[in-house]
Every structure is written in structure tokens, then in C-alpha cells.
Amino acid sequence: MATLKKLKSWFYPVTPFTIVTILGIVIAIQSIYIGLTYESPMILYPIMVIPIVVFIFVMYVLDRFFIKSTPYYIIFVIELILSTGGYVGFKYMNGTNDIHVNTNEDYILVIYNAKENSMNNFKKTDLFSKELKLNENVIHLNPSLYLDDDIRILPPKSWKGGFQNIGKYHFDNDSIPYLYISKTFSPTEQKHIEQQFIDSLLSQIYHK
């Protein structure tokens, strides 16, 4: 009976941290499964998630300590504010702007020469995340997005790896940034990762 009462004290009364801790444990188990099942870089997922869940569990231990001596409504309000702030902060830190590219070509060429604000074409998918879906392999973006870590160019899911080249193309006394992504490192596609091939693509675009 004493054991049952002790076990009950870990879950009752229910506070916001009770829900957060349970969800955290579920997410931690899921992250371990993903990390062990899928290939790199998914192994980084549990490495990032587990320390956060451990911190949440420590906070929940403190919750169980203070719940015995502090009025319930005070604990509830404080934890609700902390949980909401933590959720918003987590979403902000992990917000991304993804460009999903669907193409049958073996390469993707992103040229940062668009004059309009490219972010106007993105659609909101989350609190701090947006996405843009394209069915073309030559993409024009605003120069302000060049080397922006918040912008992710996502090739077709069928691509297993690839080669990336970041550089600048010189045309009419102008230096135009670009990002080139090739589907494969295969020797049979060697020409697709040579600088001469990339320059020829850019030349065709600018000398039409």
C-alpha cells in the first residue's frame, strides 16, 4: 500500500511538467529508435534530444518536491509559463526554411541573383518554419539568402548522397553566388562534379 501511495505521488497531482515529462520520455524512446534504425546523420537526433529530456526529468523531480509545500495553483501557473516559453523557444531555435526540390535531373543549381524577396514565395508550415516546393532544378533566390544556415535545399528523397559546390560566377563585372548539388559521386557521373561542367551550366543561363 505504501509503495502504491509513493508511486501515486509521482503522478498526482498532475501539473504541466507531468505532461511534459511523459511526452519527453516518449520522444526520447522514439529518438533512440530513429538513431539506431536510420543512417547518419539521424544518429544526431538522440544525441540532441536525450540531454533535453534528462533536464526535463530533473525539473520534474523538483516539481514533486515543491508540490508538497507550495499551493497547487502557484505551481501550475509557473510551470505553464515555463512550459509555454520552453516550447516557443525550442520551436524558434529549430525553425527552418526548407526548399523541397522535385526533379528528374541529376543536379540542382541554385543561383542567388533574384531581385524580388524570395521569402515571399515560402509557405508557413510551423510556428517558425516555412517551406517552398519546386519542380525545377535551376532555382533563383535573392542574394541575401546566400550561405544562410536557415535555408535548407532538400533534393529528391531518392538521392542517397551527393556532391556540393559553393562558389561565385563572374559575369559582366559582377560576382554571382551559386550552390551546385550533384546527385552522385559515381565515377560514371564524374563530369557532373567537375568545375568545368558547372561553369558551362552557368554560362548557358547567362548567355541565352
Side-chain angles (χ1 to χ4, degrees):
M1 195 71 177
T3 303
L4 183 61
K5 185 176 181 181
K6 184 68 176 178
L7 185 62
K8 184 180 178 180
S9 68
W10 276 94
F11 298 97
Y12 186 83
V14 176
T15 62
F17 270 21
T18 306
I19 308 300
V20 171
T21 303
I22 294 174
L23 289 175
I25 292 172
V26 172
I27 292 173
I29 294 172
Q30 181 188 43
S31 71
I32 293 172
Y33 171 78
I34 292 174
L36 295 176
T37 304
Y38 295 89
E39 298 179 358
S40 178
M42 294 308 294
I43 189 62
L44 295 176
Y45 186 41
I47 293 175
M48 295 173 57
V49 170
I50 291 177
I52 296 175
V53 175
V54 170
F55 174 76
I56 291 173
F57 184 77
V58 171
M59 295 298 292
Y60 187 62
V61 172
L62 294 176
D63 164 273
R64 294 296 94 182
F65 175 79
F66 286 112
I67 199 70
K68 298 175 182 178
S69 57
T70 308
Y72 176 76
Y73 75 92
I74 293 179
I75 293 289
F76 188 92
V77 171
I78 292 176
E79 290 188 5
L80 185 61
I81 293 173
L82 290 175
S83 298
T84 303
Y87 175 79
V88 173
F90 178 80
K91 286 292 186 180
Y92 177 77
M93 290 176 61
N94 291 275
T96 57
N97 298 306
D98 295 339
I99 299 178
H100 298 271
V101 182
N102 182 30
T103 177
N104 293 323
E105 298 290 342
D106 293 333
Y107 66 89
I108 296 170
L109 180 59
V110 183
I111 307 173
Y112 297 88
N113 63 348
K115 294 182 179 180
E116 71 275 5
N117 183 359
S118 301
M119 295 305 300
N120 291 337
N121 299 321
F122 283 69
K123 293 184 179 179
K124 199 174 184 66
T125 58
D126 206 346
L127 197 59
F128 297 104
S129 296
K130 296 180 180 180
E131 71 173 8
L132 177 63
K133 295 183 178 181
L134 298 173
N135 294 316
E136 54 197 44
N137 69 315
V138 178
I139 304 167
H140 297 269
L141 296 179
N142 188 276
S144 64
L145 303 182
Y146 181 57
L147 298 181
D148 188 337
D149 292 335
D150 290 335
I151 301 291
R152 300 191 302 180
I153 311 296
L154 304 179
K157 293 182 179 179
S158 59
W159 290 25
K160 299 301 182 181
F163 164 85
Q164 287 195 19
N165 179 284
I166 298 174
K168 293 186 177 181
Y169 180 71
H170 301 282
F171 177 75
D172 281 353
N173 297 321
D174 196 9
S175 184
I176 304 157
Y178 70 84
L179 167 65
Y180 175 82
I181 307 174
S182 178
K183 179 179 179 180
T184 178
F185 274 117
S186 171
T188 58
E189 301 293 336
Q190 182 68 31
K191 73 170 188 176
H192 286 171
I193 64 175
E194 294 177 353
Q195 187 63 47
Q196 184 178 356
F197 178 76
I198 300 172
D199 290 340
S200 69
L201 292 175
L202 290 162
S203 178
Q204 291 174 25
I205 293 171
Y206 278 95
H207 292 87
K208 284 184 176 180

